[in-house]
Short mmCIF file of all heavy atoms in Angstrom, two decimals:
data_model
loop_
_atom_site.label_atom_id
_atom_site.label_comp_id
_atom_site.label_asym_id
_atom_site.label_seq_id
_atom_site.Cartn_x
_atom_site.Cartn_y
_atom_site.Cartn_z
N TRP N 1240 33.99 5.39 28.45
CA TRP N 1240 33.04 4.47 29.10
C TRP N 1240 32.83 3.26 28.22
O TRP N 1240 32.79 2.11 28.69
CB TRP N 1240 31.72 5.21 29.33
CG TRP N 1240 30.60 4.34 29.89
CD1 TRP N 1240 30.36 4.03 31.19
CD2 TRP N 1240 29.64 3.62 29.11
NE1 TRP N 1240 29.28 3.21 31.31
CE2 TRP N 1240 28.80 2.92 30.05
CE3 TRP N 1240 29.34 3.51 27.77
CZ2 TRP N 1240 27.72 2.14 29.66
CZ3 TRP N 1240 28.27 2.71 27.36
CH2 TRP N 1240 27.47 2.05 28.29
N LEU N 1241 32.67 3.46 26.91
CA LEU N 1241 32.45 2.37 25.99
C LEU N 1241 33.63 1.40 25.97
O LEU N 1241 33.45 0.18 25.96
CB LEU N 1241 32.20 2.92 24.58
CG LEU N 1241 31.84 1.88 23.53
CD1 LEU N 1241 30.42 1.36 23.76
CD2 LEU N 1241 31.98 2.46 22.12
N GLU N 1242 34.85 1.92 26.01
CA GLU N 1242 36.03 1.10 26.00
C GLU N 1242 36.10 0.23 27.26
O GLU N 1242 36.46 -0.94 27.20
CB GLU N 1242 37.28 1.97 25.87
CG GLU N 1242 38.57 1.16 25.71
CD GLU N 1242 39.75 2.08 25.49
OE1 GLU N 1242 40.29 2.60 26.48
OE2 GLU N 1242 40.14 2.28 24.31
N ASN N 1243 35.75 0.82 28.39
CA ASN N 1243 35.74 0.07 29.65
C ASN N 1243 34.69 -1.02 29.61
O ASN N 1243 34.90 -2.15 30.06
CB ASN N 1243 35.50 1.03 30.82
CG ASN N 1243 36.44 0.79 31.97
OD1 ASN N 1243 37.21 -0.14 32.00
ND2 ASN N 1243 36.33 1.62 33.01
N LEU N 1244 33.52 -0.68 29.13
CA LEU N 1244 32.44 -1.63 29.00
C LEU N 1244 32.84 -2.80 28.11
O LEU N 1244 32.65 -3.97 28.40
CB LEU N 1244 31.21 -0.92 28.42
CG LEU N 1244 29.97 -1.79 28.16
CD1 LEU N 1244 28.93 -1.61 29.28
CD2 LEU N 1244 29.33 -1.44 26.81
N LEU N 1245 33.44 -2.45 26.97
CA LEU N 1245 33.83 -3.46 25.98
C LEU N 1245 34.88 -4.40 26.54
O LEU N 1245 34.84 -5.61 26.29
CB LEU N 1245 34.33 -2.76 24.74
CG LEU N 1245 34.79 -3.62 23.56
CD1 LEU N 1245 33.69 -4.57 23.15
CD2 LEU N 1245 35.24 -2.76 22.40
N GLY N 1246 35.81 -3.85 27.34
CA GLY N 1246 36.85 -4.70 27.91
C GLY N 1246 36.30 -5.82 28.76
O GLY N 1246 36.75 -6.97 28.69
N SER N 1247 35.29 -5.50 29.56
CA SER N 1247 34.70 -6.53 30.42
C SER N 1247 33.86 -7.53 29.57
O SER N 1247 33.92 -8.75 29.81
CB SER N 1247 33.79 -5.86 31.45
OG SER N 1247 33.20 -6.84 32.29
N LEU N 1248 33.11 -7.01 28.60
CA LEU N 1248 32.31 -7.92 27.77
C LEU N 1248 33.17 -8.89 26.99
O LEU N 1248 32.84 -10.06 26.83
CB LEU N 1248 31.46 -7.08 26.82
CG LEU N 1248 30.27 -6.33 27.43
CD1 LEU N 1248 29.58 -5.44 26.40
CD2 LEU N 1248 29.27 -7.29 28.07
N LEU N 1249 34.31 -8.41 26.48
CA LEU N 1249 35.18 -9.30 25.74
C LEU N 1249 35.76 -10.42 26.62
O LEU N 1249 35.87 -11.55 26.20
CB LEU N 1249 36.33 -8.48 25.10
CG LEU N 1249 35.94 -7.63 23.90
CD1 LEU N 1249 37.11 -6.77 23.45
CD2 LEU N 1249 35.43 -8.48 22.73
N GLY N 1250 36.09 -10.07 27.88
CA GLY N 1250 36.58 -11.07 28.80
C GLY N 1250 35.53 -12.11 29.11
O GLY N 1250 35.82 -13.33 29.15
N ALA N 1251 34.27 -11.68 29.30
CA ALA N 1251 33.20 -12.61 29.57
C ALA N 1251 32.92 -13.51 28.37
O ALA N 1251 32.77 -14.75 28.50
CB ALA N 1251 31.93 -11.83 29.94
N LEU N 1252 32.91 -12.91 27.19
CA LEU N 1252 32.65 -13.69 25.98
C LEU N 1252 33.76 -14.68 25.71
O LEU N 1252 33.49 -15.83 25.31
CB LEU N 1252 32.49 -12.71 24.79
CG LEU N 1252 31.98 -13.32 23.48
CD1 LEU N 1252 30.61 -13.98 23.66
CD2 LEU N 1252 31.90 -12.22 22.40
N GLU N 1253 34.98 -14.28 25.97
CA GLU N 1253 36.10 -15.19 25.72
C GLU N 1253 36.02 -16.41 26.67
O GLU N 1253 36.33 -17.54 26.26
CB GLU N 1253 37.44 -14.48 25.92
CG GLU N 1253 38.63 -15.31 25.50
CD GLU N 1253 39.89 -14.51 25.35
OE1 GLU N 1253 40.30 -13.87 26.34
OE2 GLU N 1253 40.45 -14.47 24.25
N GLN N 1254 35.60 -16.20 27.91
CA GLN N 1254 35.49 -17.35 28.82
C GLN N 1254 34.44 -18.32 28.29
O GLN N 1254 34.62 -19.54 28.34
CB GLN N 1254 35.11 -16.90 30.22
CG GLN N 1254 35.04 -18.12 31.18
CD GLN N 1254 34.85 -17.75 32.62
OE1 GLN N 1254 33.82 -18.11 33.21
NE2 GLN N 1254 35.80 -17.05 33.20
N LEU N 1255 33.35 -17.79 27.76
CA LEU N 1255 32.31 -18.66 27.19
C LEU N 1255 32.88 -19.42 26.00
O LEU N 1255 32.63 -20.63 25.85
CB LEU N 1255 31.12 -17.80 26.77
CG LEU N 1255 29.81 -18.52 26.47
CD1 LEU N 1255 29.28 -19.23 27.72
CD2 LEU N 1255 28.77 -17.53 25.97
N HIS N 1256 33.63 -18.74 25.15
CA HIS N 1256 34.20 -19.41 23.96
C HIS N 1256 35.25 -20.43 24.35
O HIS N 1256 35.44 -21.43 23.64
CB HIS N 1256 34.82 -18.34 23.05
CG HIS N 1256 33.80 -17.50 22.35
ND1 HIS N 1256 34.14 -16.45 21.52
CD2 HIS N 1256 32.43 -17.53 22.36
CE1 HIS N 1256 33.01 -15.90 21.06
NE2 HIS N 1256 31.99 -16.52 21.57
N GLU N 1257 35.97 -20.20 25.43
CA GLU N 1257 37.01 -21.12 25.85
C GLU N 1257 36.48 -22.50 26.22
O GLU N 1257 37.21 -23.50 26.15
CB GLU N 1257 37.80 -20.54 27.03
CG GLU N 1257 38.81 -19.44 26.61
CD GLU N 1257 39.44 -18.75 27.78
OE1 GLU N 1257 39.00 -18.98 28.95
OE2 GLU N 1257 40.39 -17.96 27.58
N ILE N 1258 35.20 -22.58 26.59
CA ILE N 1258 34.62 -23.89 26.88
C ILE N 1258 33.81 -24.40 25.69
O ILE N 1258 33.04 -25.33 25.79
CB ILE N 1258 33.77 -23.87 28.16
CG1 ILE N 1258 32.58 -22.89 28.00
CG2 ILE N 1258 34.59 -23.53 29.36
CD1 ILE N 1258 31.59 -22.98 29.19
N GLY N 1259 34.00 -23.76 24.52
CA GLY N 1259 33.43 -24.26 23.27
C GLY N 1259 32.02 -23.88 23.02
O GLY N 1259 31.33 -24.54 22.23
N HIS N 1260 31.51 -22.79 23.61
CA HIS N 1260 30.12 -22.39 23.43
C HIS N 1260 30.01 -21.00 22.83
O HIS N 1260 30.79 -20.10 23.11
CB HIS N 1260 29.39 -22.41 24.77
CG HIS N 1260 28.99 -23.77 25.21
ND1 HIS N 1260 27.76 -24.31 24.98
CD2 HIS N 1260 29.70 -24.73 25.84
CE1 HIS N 1260 27.73 -25.56 25.48
NE2 HIS N 1260 28.88 -25.83 25.96
N LEU N 1261 28.99 -20.86 21.99
CA LEU N 1261 28.61 -19.54 21.47
C LEU N 1261 27.53 -18.97 22.40
O LEU N 1261 26.78 -19.73 23.00
CB LEU N 1261 28.04 -19.68 20.06
CG LEU N 1261 28.86 -20.42 19.03
CD1 LEU N 1261 28.11 -20.45 17.71
CD2 LEU N 1261 30.23 -19.78 18.90
N HIS N 1262 27.45 -17.65 22.44
CA HIS N 1262 26.34 -17.05 23.19
C HIS N 1262 25.09 -17.16 22.34
O HIS N 1262 24.06 -17.64 22.77
CB HIS N 1262 26.65 -15.60 23.54
CG HIS N 1262 25.59 -14.97 24.39
ND1 HIS N 1262 24.38 -14.58 23.88
CD2 HIS N 1262 25.56 -14.67 25.71
CE1 HIS N 1262 23.65 -14.07 24.84
NE2 HIS N 1262 24.33 -14.11 25.96
N GLY N 1263 25.13 -16.63 21.13
CA GLY N 1263 24.03 -16.79 20.18
C GLY N 1263 22.91 -15.77 20.31
O GLY N 1263 22.02 -15.75 19.46
N ASP N 1264 22.94 -14.89 21.31
CA ASP N 1264 21.84 -13.93 21.49
C ASP N 1264 22.36 -12.63 22.12
O ASP N 1264 21.72 -12.07 23.03
CB ASP N 1264 20.73 -14.55 22.33
CG ASP N 1264 19.43 -13.72 22.33
OD1 ASP N 1264 19.25 -12.93 21.39
OD2 ASP N 1264 18.64 -13.86 23.27
N ILE N 1265 23.52 -12.17 21.68
CA ILE N 1265 24.05 -10.90 22.19
C ILE N 1265 23.25 -9.76 21.62
O ILE N 1265 23.14 -9.59 20.40
CB ILE N 1265 25.54 -10.74 21.86
CG1 ILE N 1265 26.34 -11.86 22.53
CG2 ILE N 1265 26.05 -9.37 22.32
CD1 ILE N 1265 27.82 -11.86 22.18
N ALA N 1266 22.64 -8.96 22.47
CA ALA N 1266 21.81 -7.85 22.08
C ALA N 1266 21.72 -6.88 23.27
O ALA N 1266 22.02 -7.28 24.40
CB ALA N 1266 20.42 -8.34 21.66
N PRO N 1267 21.34 -5.64 23.06
CA PRO N 1267 21.34 -4.66 24.18
C PRO N 1267 20.40 -5.04 25.32
O PRO N 1267 20.61 -4.60 26.44
CB PRO N 1267 20.91 -3.37 23.51
CG PRO N 1267 20.30 -3.75 22.19
CD PRO N 1267 21.00 -4.98 21.78
N ASP N 1268 19.34 -5.80 25.05
CA ASP N 1268 18.45 -6.21 26.13
C ASP N 1268 19.01 -7.39 26.91
O ASP N 1268 18.41 -7.80 27.94
CB ASP N 1268 17.04 -6.51 25.63
CG ASP N 1268 17.00 -7.62 24.60
OD1 ASP N 1268 18.09 -7.95 24.04
OD2 ASP N 1268 15.93 -8.19 24.34
N ASN N 1269 20.12 -7.97 26.48
CA ASN N 1269 20.76 -9.06 27.17
C ASN N 1269 22.07 -8.65 27.83
O ASN N 1269 22.88 -9.49 28.22
CB ASN N 1269 21.02 -10.23 26.20
CG ASN N 1269 19.88 -11.24 26.24
OD1 ASN N 1269 19.11 -11.31 27.20
ND2 ASN N 1269 19.75 -12.02 25.18
N ILE N 1270 22.30 -7.36 27.93
CA ILE N 1270 23.46 -6.84 28.65
C ILE N 1270 22.95 -5.86 29.69
O ILE N 1270 22.30 -4.86 29.36
CB ILE N 1270 24.46 -6.12 27.71
CG1 ILE N 1270 24.95 -7.12 26.63
CG2 ILE N 1270 25.65 -5.58 28.51
CD1 ILE N 1270 25.78 -6.47 25.54
N ILE N 1271 23.18 -6.14 30.96
CA ILE N 1271 22.69 -5.32 32.06
C ILE N 1271 23.87 -4.81 32.87
O ILE N 1271 24.95 -5.43 32.91
CB ILE N 1271 21.72 -6.16 32.94
CG1 ILE N 1271 20.88 -5.26 33.81
CG2 ILE N 1271 22.45 -7.21 33.76
CD1 ILE N 1271 19.69 -5.97 34.45
N LEU N 1272 23.69 -3.67 33.52
CA LEU N 1272 24.73 -3.09 34.38
C LEU N 1272 24.44 -3.48 35.83
O LEU N 1272 23.32 -3.35 36.30
CB LEU N 1272 24.79 -1.58 34.23
CG LEU N 1272 25.04 -1.06 32.80
CD1 LEU N 1272 25.13 0.46 32.80
CD2 LEU N 1272 26.31 -1.69 32.20
N ASP N 1273 25.50 -3.92 36.53
CA ASP N 1273 25.30 -4.26 37.95
C ASP N 1273 25.41 -3.00 38.82
O ASP N 1273 25.50 -1.88 38.30
CB ASP N 1273 26.29 -5.35 38.38
CG ASP N 1273 27.74 -4.90 38.37
OD1 ASP N 1273 28.00 -3.68 38.25
OD2 ASP N 1273 28.64 -5.77 38.51
N ALA N 1274 25.46 -3.19 40.11
CA ALA N 1274 25.44 -2.05 41.04
C ALA N 1274 26.69 -1.18 40.89
O ALA N 1274 26.67 0.01 41.24
CB ALA N 1274 25.33 -2.57 42.49
N GLN N 1275 27.77 -1.75 40.38
CA GLN N 1275 29.01 -0.97 40.17
C GLN N 1275 29.09 -0.44 38.74
O GLN N 1275 30.13 0.18 38.36
CB GLN N 1275 30.24 -1.86 40.46
CG GLN N 1275 30.47 -2.18 41.92
CD GLN N 1275 29.46 -3.18 42.48
OE1 GLN N 1275 29.19 -4.19 41.84
NE2 GLN N 1275 28.91 -2.88 43.65
N GLY N 1276 28.06 -0.62 37.95
CA GLY N 1276 28.08 -0.12 36.59
C GLY N 1276 28.83 -1.06 35.63
O GLY N 1276 29.11 -0.70 34.49
N GLN N 1277 29.13 -2.25 36.09
CA GLN N 1277 29.85 -3.24 35.28
C GLN N 1277 28.86 -4.05 34.47
O GLN N 1277 27.82 -4.47 34.96
CB GLN N 1277 30.67 -4.14 36.18
CG GLN N 1277 31.44 -5.23 35.44
CD GLN N 1277 32.22 -6.09 36.39
OE1 GLN N 1277 32.87 -5.60 37.31
NE2 GLN N 1277 32.15 -7.40 36.19
N PRO N 1278 29.14 -4.30 33.17
CA PRO N 1278 28.20 -5.05 32.36
C PRO N 1278 28.17 -6.53 32.67
O PRO N 1278 29.20 -7.14 32.97
CB PRO N 1278 28.71 -4.80 30.94
CG PRO N 1278 30.20 -4.62 31.11
CD PRO N 1278 30.35 -3.89 32.41
N VAL N 1279 27.00 -7.12 32.61
CA VAL N 1279 26.81 -8.57 32.76
C VAL N 1279 26.08 -9.06 31.52
O VAL N 1279 25.06 -8.53 31.13
CB VAL N 1279 25.97 -8.89 34.02
CG1 VAL N 1279 25.79 -10.39 34.16
CG2 VAL N 1279 26.64 -8.31 35.27
N LEU N 1280 26.66 -10.09 30.92
CA LEU N 1280 26.13 -10.67 29.70
C LEU N 1280 25.14 -11.76 30.03
O LEU N 1280 25.50 -12.83 30.48
CB LEU N 1280 27.28 -11.22 28.83
CG LEU N 1280 27.00 -11.74 27.44
CD1 LEU N 1280 26.31 -10.67 26.59
CD2 LEU N 1280 28.27 -12.22 26.79
N LEU N 1281 23.84 -11.44 29.87
CA LEU N 1281 22.79 -12.37 30.25
C LEU N 1281 22.55 -13.43 29.18
O LEU N 1281 22.93 -13.28 28.03
CB LEU N 1281 21.50 -11.60 30.52
CG LEU N 1281 21.56 -10.51 31.60
CD1 LEU N 1281 20.21 -9.80 31.69
CD2 LEU N 1281 21.95 -11.07 32.95
N ASP N 1282 21.85 -14.47 29.59
CA ASP N 1282 21.36 -15.53 28.68
C ASP N 1282 22.40 -16.22 27.80
O ASP N 1282 22.15 -16.49 26.64
CB ASP N 1282 20.25 -14.97 27.78
CG ASP N 1282 18.89 -15.09 28.43
OD1 ASP N 1282 18.79 -15.68 29.52
OD2 ASP N 1282 17.90 -14.61 27.85
N PRO N 1283 23.57 -16.55 28.37
CA PRO N 1283 24.47 -17.36 27.56
C PRO N 1283 23.98 -18.77 27.33
O PRO N 1283 24.53 -19.52 26.55
CB PRO N 1283 25.79 -17.37 28.36
CG PRO N 1283 25.36 -17.11 29.77
CD PRO N 1283 24.16 -16.20 29.66
N GLY N 1284 22.86 -19.13 27.95
CA GLY N 1284 22.26 -20.43 27.71
C GLY N 1284 21.69 -20.56 26.33
O GLY N 1284 21.35 -21.66 25.89
#
């Protein structure tokens, strides 16, 4: 489960980095699971 979760988070983080931005606040309260159990990285602002 952790490996699957990590794979999605890395893809999301890489897209953010590709446009030259850091997230700056990655923490467990900023990662939420959607209805399919897929992680969503909140607050990239």
Side-chain angles (χ1 to χ4, degrees):
W1240 175 86
L1241 184 72
E1242 186 175 82
N1243 224 356
L1244 177 103
L1245 180 56
S1247 181
L1248 288 175
L1249 287 174
L1252 190 58
E1253 188 166 59
Q1254 182 172 117
L1255 195 63
H1256 289 177
E1257 283 173 350
I1258 61 172
H1260 282 263
L1261 308 180
H1262 185 285
D1264 191 22
I1265 297 175
D1268 60 342
N1269 267 338
I1270 301 172
I1271 197 167
L1272 302 182
D1273 67 11
Q1275 289 73 45
Q1277 179 181 316
V1279 179
L1280 187 57
L1281 302 177
D1282 272 356

